[in-house]
Amino acid sequence: MKVIQIKEIRGYDNKGVTLNGWVANKRSGKSLVFVTLRDGSGYIQAVFDQGVIGEEEFQKAESLTLESSVSVSGKIVKDERQIGGYEMQVIKLEIYQIAEEYPIAKKEHGVEFLIDNRHLWLRSKRQWAVMRVRNNIIYAIHRFFQDRGFTQMDAPIFTGNAVEGTSTLFETDYFGEPAYLSQSGQLYGEAMAMSLGKIYTFGPTFRAEKSKTRRHLTEFWMIEPEMAFCDNEKNMDLIEEFLQFVVTTAVEESKEELEILERDTTILKNINKTFPRVTYDEAVEILMGKKEVNGKTTLNTLHEDLETIEEDIRKNEQSIQENEERLKKSGVKKREQNQIQNSIEKLKAENKDLEEQKINIPQWIESAENFKYGSDFGGSDETVITRLFDTPIMVYNWPKEIKAFYMKRDEKNNGLVKGVDVLAPEGFGEIVGGGERETDLEFLKEQINIHKLPMKAFEWYLDLRRYGSVPHSGFGLGLERLVGWICKLPHLRESIPFPRMYGRLFP
Ligand code: 4AD
Ligand code: MG
């Protein structure tokens, strides 16, 4: 019989085919065994009927354990009630391997245990869905740039100089010389843009961030376009167009996956509205509750949110209690019991989330009220600012002290530089950082000294200002931050196949 993938079953209604895959779930009845089969392309229910396949094959089916690898042959039949709309009536079963007792089958595993078993966790339906969304995002990113005449170029990973400050460098021994794992391909991107005009890099970048937050990885993938003859205004236009295309396309092409993730995509569909552009000064005023956005201030909103949260927690607690009483009643069928148990678990998880917010909000309020003009926004500050918006926002014109050495000064105010950060809504914070690059040779040399960077390592970079220097700009998108936002993940560790974070190198 023809071997096909589950995603192709639509074209094989009422036909016989063979599928290779793994047992994702199994239920047994008296003379029937139901297996949910997964093959990486999708899921399908395979039905083993003793009357059809005979005693010996049926026993083989009964012996299947979770994650056993199999080949099943049979007829594809339409069944609207099943996942994917079809099921297979099996006539033949071949077993590759009967899996040992699967270690991560239980629902109640904590996330630390799951991440220790990341090599197996990747097989779960949620993780499968996230990885497919990630792939769709990557594909959309390449399409966007390729369709607009950008050339993809690769920056080196071993580098001799810092880009984004010296505090997050990973040092390695390069034949007796220190070399650093790249924090960003940007400086090389600038050199490449002076050759090809419009380029983008897409590669791994490294930051020795000793912080255990849900937004930080030590190894992450960055997409960095760089454009010659481009100022920060045009740069911001491109960022907006880019995010609109990538989010719209990836959401459109990931419908099934986002449903599995139970992602409400309403806010993602707002992406095609114009992104508000606010200066750093305005963002500080918004943060501190001194400036209204659509008739609201951050501080009022936070106080209101706190009340709503407390109310929601009370409501959920009541529902949990009611459900628990229903469970105690006699005569509740097994199926219904499971449903009730599931809703109890869901409500409990929801409340855990709400309790966390209840603790966080007063801290956010305090940190917002005490914010010092001129300092960088922390994760919670970004969350507070973006709470008033339902699209990403762009914050530009930053104090030069908190930005990198290469940023171009603002002509109107020498204390500011033409950097831009894009902050995503729903508490996801900065997803893009970029700006216009300084072109003045003497000023750059001064900045290199002020930032205590070794001049010698930057000579090649300074050459770009000696030979045909032009206004140029670019930005960097953190791939995992975007995956995290689109999928609404609680932590970036789920956004990449094998996350590298402070305190984690395995598996
Ligand atoms: O803002 P960053 O540091 O900017 C740069 O590296 C520039 N050289 C980019 C450029 O203009 N070409 O980093 C860019 C983005 C951030 O906005 C964030 O999305 C992501 O990279 N990022 C991280 N993602 C995960 N874990 C970390 N530790 C990250 N640090 C930055
Ligand atoms: Mg940044």
Side-chain angles (χ1 to χ4, degrees):
M1 254 181 266
K2 190 170 177 195
V3 183
I4 65 161
Q5 285 189 293
I6 294 173
K7 68 167 186 214
E8 300 170 304
I9 48 180
R10 238 168 229 93
Y12 292 87
D13 194 12
N14 260 317
K15 295 203 174 81
V17 297
T18 297
L19 298 169
N20 290 318
W22 295 264
V23 175
N25 199 5
K26 194 186 91 180
R27 277 187 302 127
S28 305
K30 238 186 244 128
S31 58
L32 292 169
V33 169
F34 302 95
V35 163
T36 306
L37 189 77
R38 60 167 192 89
D39 74 346
S41 80
Y43 291 79
I44 189 173
Q45 170 159 283
V47 184
F48 299 82
D49 183 338
Q50 192 174 14
V52 175
I53 56 171
E55 178 60 25
E56 201 178 314
E57 291 286 289
F58 188 72
Q59 274 184 7
K60 266 164 68 187
E62 277 196 314
S63 77
L64 291 176
T65 54
L66 214 52
E67 287 304 317
S68 289
S69 41
V70 295
S71 172
V72 290
S73 304
K75 195 164 83 175
I76 300 294
V77 286
K78 214 176 190 132
D79 185 344
E80 296 297 349
R81 293 164 309 169
Q82 300 306 330
I83 35 162
Y86 293 85
E87 67 174 24
M88 176 188 259
Q89 291 168 352
V90 182
I91 51 170
K92 189 165 158 238
L93 165 67
E94 273 180 69
I95 297 174
Y96 285 100
Q97 194 232 353
I98 294 286
E100 292 176 27
E101 194 183 338
Y102 197 53
I104 67 164
K106 292 198 187 72
K107 258 195 179 159
E108 59 270 25
H109 289 311
V111 77
E112 277 303 312
F113 179 81
L114 291 171
I115 199 87
D116 281 341
N117 285 284
R118 183 62 174 166
H119 52 295
L120 302 177
W121 190 25
L122 280 174
R123 302 182 187 189
S124 78
K125 200 168 195 173
R126 254 189 77 85
Q127 301 307 311
W128 173 83
V130 175
M131 290 306 128
R132 285 170 57 105
V133 176
R134 180 182 165 106
N135 175 66
N136 289 344
I137 293 171
I138 292 172
Y139 188 38
I141 290 170
H142 282 294
R143 257 181 288 167
F144 178 85
F145 287 121
Q146 294 292 336
D147 286 350
R148 284 162 187 77
F150 284 70
T151 304
Q152 199 266 318
M153 291 181 82
D154 304 308
I157 292 179
F158 281 128
T159 62
N161 47 259
V163 187
E164 298 296 325
T166 49
S167 62
T168 60
L169 285 173
F170 274 113
E171 192 175 321
T172 62
D173 176 357
Y174 195 72
F175 309 113
E177 297 279 325
Y180 310 103
L181 298 184
S182 177
Q183 294 170 308
S184 154
Q186 180 198 317
L187 305 188
Y188 299 96
E190 290 181 48
M192 298 187 284
M194 297 305 129
S195 167
L196 285 113
K198 295 195 286 186
I199 65 97
Y200 68 107
T201 66
F202 196 140
T205 45
F206 306 85
R207 306 268 170 108
E209 307 258 20
K210 281 193 176 167
S211 49
K212 282 196 171 175
T213 83
R214 63 196 178 95
R215 294 177 188 175
H216 288 96
L217 298 171
T218 52
E219 177 180 308
F220 60 97
W221 288 69
M222 201 170 4
I223 295 88
E224 296 184 89
E226 192 70 31
M227 295 80 67
F229 308 103
C230 178
D231 62 15
N232 200 33
E233 287 294 313
K234 279 198 232 149
N235 192 31
M236 290 197 276
D237 294 343
L238 186 78
I239 295 175
E240 184 173 317
E241 193 192 340
F242 168 67
L243 287 174
Q244 288 174 338
F245 176 84
V246 172
V247 173
T248 306
T249 310
V251 168
E252 186 64 32
E253 293 174 0
S254 310
K255 281 204 183 97
E256 188 194 340
E257 290 80 3
L258 293 170
E259 244 165 60
I260 290 169
L261 296 169
E262 296 178 342
R263 173 60 158 139
D264 176 354
T265 53
T266 322
I267 202 158
L268 298 175
K269 289 179 183 144
N270 288 339
I271 195 83
N272 290 312
K273 293 191 199 168
T274 307
F275 298 0
R277 296 182 189 188
V278 301
T279 61
Y280 169 85
D281 286 23
E282 287 169 327
V284 172
E285 294 206 319
I286 293 171
L287 172 66
M288 299 183 78
K290 293 177 187 163
K291 189 179 162 74
E292 285 188 355
V293 176
N294 301 326
K296 285 182 171 175
T297 70
T298 46
L299 295 183
N300 289 343
T301 312
L302 284 174
H303 284 294
E304 275 170 30
D305 287 352
L306 198 55
E307 277 170 31
T308 322
I309 284 167
E310 281 166 354
E311 181 67 34
D312 286 348
I313 292 176
R314 270 195 298 276
K315 276 189 204 149
N316 281 349
E317 269 166 3
Q318 205 177 342
S319 306
I320 292 171
Q321 216 177 356
E322 282 165 14
N323 274 314
E324 273 168 352
E325 264 149 35
R326 270 173 68 205
L327 264 189
K328 280 186 211 139
K329 281 190 196 138
S330 56
V332 184
K333 290 222 175 68
K334 181 95 186 147
R335 208 188 170 97
E336 200 182 339
Q337 271 181 14
N338 283 342
Q339 275 169 357
I340 298 173
Q341 199 59 49
N342 278 345
S343 31
I344 290 176
E345 268 164 41
K346 231 182 180 161
L347 287 163
K348 280 188 177 165
E350 220 172 87
N351 260 7
K352 207 178 145 205
D353 209 56
L354 291 168
E355 291 285 356
E356 207 182 295
Q357 290 196 45
K358 191 176 141 184
I359 298 169
N360 283 339
I361 289 180
Q363 292 172 1
W364 293 348
I365 293 175
E366 201 195 310
S367 137
E369 282 175 332
N370 295 316
F371 185 81
K372 287 223 160 40
Y373 179 90
S375 51
D376 203 356
F377 298 128
S380 66
D381 301 324
E382 291 175 354
T383 303
V384 171
I385 297 169
T386 51
R387 242 176 144 82
L388 295 180
F389 298 91
D390 60 0
T391 64
I393 65 166
M394 298 205 245
V395 182
Y396 67 102
N397 277 10
W398 292 75
K400 74 169 185 299
E401 291 75 21
I402 53 172
K403 288 290 178 193
F405 78 96
Y406 53 72
M407 294 249 179
K408 187 171 177 67
R409 283 163 301 172
D410 180 31
E411 299 85 0
K412 292 180 226 95
N413 183 342
N414 266 336
L416 301 178
V417 289
K418 295 183 168 186
V420 54
D421 277 11
V422 178
L423 310 181
E426 301 180 283
F428 284 87
E430 184 193 331
I431 51 173
V432 167
E436 190 168 339
R437 323 307 188 187
E438 183 57 61
T439 47
D440 184 303
L441 182 61
E442 291 314 312
F443 180 75
L444 265 180
K445 283 187 189 166
E446 225 175 85
Q447 290 307 305
I448 288 170
N449 285 331
I450 290 172
H451 284 83
K452 297 195 171 65
L453 296 166
M455 191 65 70
K456 207 169 149 240
F458 288 91
E459 276 304 327
W460 71 267
Y461 181 70
L462 295 173
D463 270 354
L464 305 177
R465 276 67 180 172
R466 293 186 180 108
Y467 308 109
S469 181
V470 300
H472 61 292
S473 303
F475 63 89
L477 165 75
L479 176 63
E480 289 73 20
R481 296 260 178 104
L482 184 61
V483 174
W485 177 45
I486 291 186
C487 297
K488 205 173 182 184
L489 302 177
H491 194 295
L492 283 200
R493 67 186 146 217
E494 287 184 54
S495 65
I496 183 166
F498 291 94
R500 296 290 174 254
M501 310 176 278
Y502 184 49
R504 175 158 305 272
L505 186 59
F506 293 100

